[in-house]
Amino acid sequence: MGGRLVTAEHRRIKTAEDLAEGAAWLAQAEPRFRPVLERTSPLPLRLKPPGFRGLIEIIISQQVSVASANAIRERAEVAGLYQPQLVLAAGQDGLRAAGFSRPKARYAEALAAADLDYEALETLDDADAIARLCALPGIGPWTAQVYVMFCMGRADAFPPGDLALQVAAQHVFDLADRPKPEVLDEMSQAWSPWRSVAARALFAYYRVIKQREGL
């Protein structure tokens, strides 16, 4: 399967300095982010391990609270479910015992059997990496976008379907309603090439306004 290769214009966020550069650009490009950044800086890197483990952790996070996801991750750690061969050995019963829902257990097994080339994924641009991930069972745009943003460290990824980002954006931009994914996606185009910094700022702001984590 082909794809466009990553070029120098595809920035990566690896350090606090990278985030600071992006935050400075964002505050200049969209002044309404300035008070958000003042309340949330320094933004956390929030990087996750690339590869199978990182993707499994994001699958665990799908449509559950942060507390529930953390509890399942801990049980998965104890059960050794962050290696493909051990996921396949555990099967549905082992995964369910660790707290995976029935669909997520299927997705985890499918991912373990897929033998995805994570190193090759790193060579693709964001759109092609997301498309390749979305071709796998149980991985939709949100999961793929979060993987590209936090596991691959890409600077211009943004998951507009995320509820916490929608709620935070509604507050920041004084919108009458929570923006639908397609509306938030359109809004985020103005924050390119640092949309991943905008996402971090909005996640952090969600915590400020709701007093709980959004991802």
Side-chain angles (χ1 to χ4, degrees):
M1 181 176 178
R4 297 177 294 276
L5 298 183
V6 174
T7 66
E9 68 184 23
H10 294 92
R11 300 170 182 263
R12 294 179 187 265
I13 294 175
K14 295 297 184 184
T15 67
E17 289 73 22
D18 297 331
L19 272 181
E21 179 186 353
W25 182 94
L26 189 63
Q28 182 67 29
E30 175 47 82
R32 283 172 289 189
F33 269 111
R34 291 175 187 170
V36 173
L37 292 166
E38 288 172 1
R39 295 189 68 178
T40 58
S41 292
L43 297 174
L45 278 172
R46 304 186 73 152
L47 295 177
K48 297 179 177 292
F52 182 80
R53 177 179 181 132
L55 197 46
I56 284 291
E57 288 191 350
I58 297 169
I59 289 172
I60 288 172
S61 297
Q62 293 172 346
Q63 299 179 325
V64 297
S65 69
V66 172
S68 295
N70 286 340
I72 297 169
R73 288 193 194 101
E74 289 176 6
R75 292 200 290 271
E77 182 78 63
V78 171
L81 297 177
Y82 288 131
Q83 298 179 47
Q85 65 273 23
L86 297 181
V87 166
L88 294 174
Q92 288 280 312
D93 290 344
L95 290 162
R96 296 279 286 145
F100 285 68
S101 66
R102 199 174 302 279
K104 288 182 183 179
R106 291 199 305 271
Y107 304 156
E109 280 193 305
L111 180 61
D115 194 26
L116 180 63
D117 188 340
Y118 294 96
E119 290 187 6
L121 203 64
E122 294 283 346
T123 70
L124 300 179
D125 77 357
D126 297 352
D128 285 328
I130 289 169
R132 185 165 297 188
L133 288 167
C134 286
L136 298 170
I139 297 182
W142 179 87
T143 301
Q145 289 155 351
V146 170
Y147 182 89
V148 167
M149 179 166 56
F150 290 134
C151 297
M152 296 174 66
R154 298 293 176 83
D156 201 33
F158 191 89
D162 189 275
L163 177 62
L165 295 185
Q166 295 168 9
V167 170
Q170 181 182 2
H171 280 254
V172 172
F173 295 95
D174 195 25
L175 304 176
D177 300 302
R178 177 162 51 86
K180 295 183 182 299
E182 59 271 21
V183 173
L184 187 54
D185 184 51
E186 180 64 27
M187 290 172 62
S188 76
Q189 300 306 314
W191 312 329
S192 180
W194 289 104
R195 290 188 298 162
S196 291
V197 176
R200 284 170 169 83
L202 291 172
F203 277 130
Y205 192 63
Y206 179 87
R207 182 178 184 181
V208 169
I209 61 179
K210 293 295 185 179
Q211 297 298 305
R212 64 177 185 270
E213 292 287 353
L215 179 68

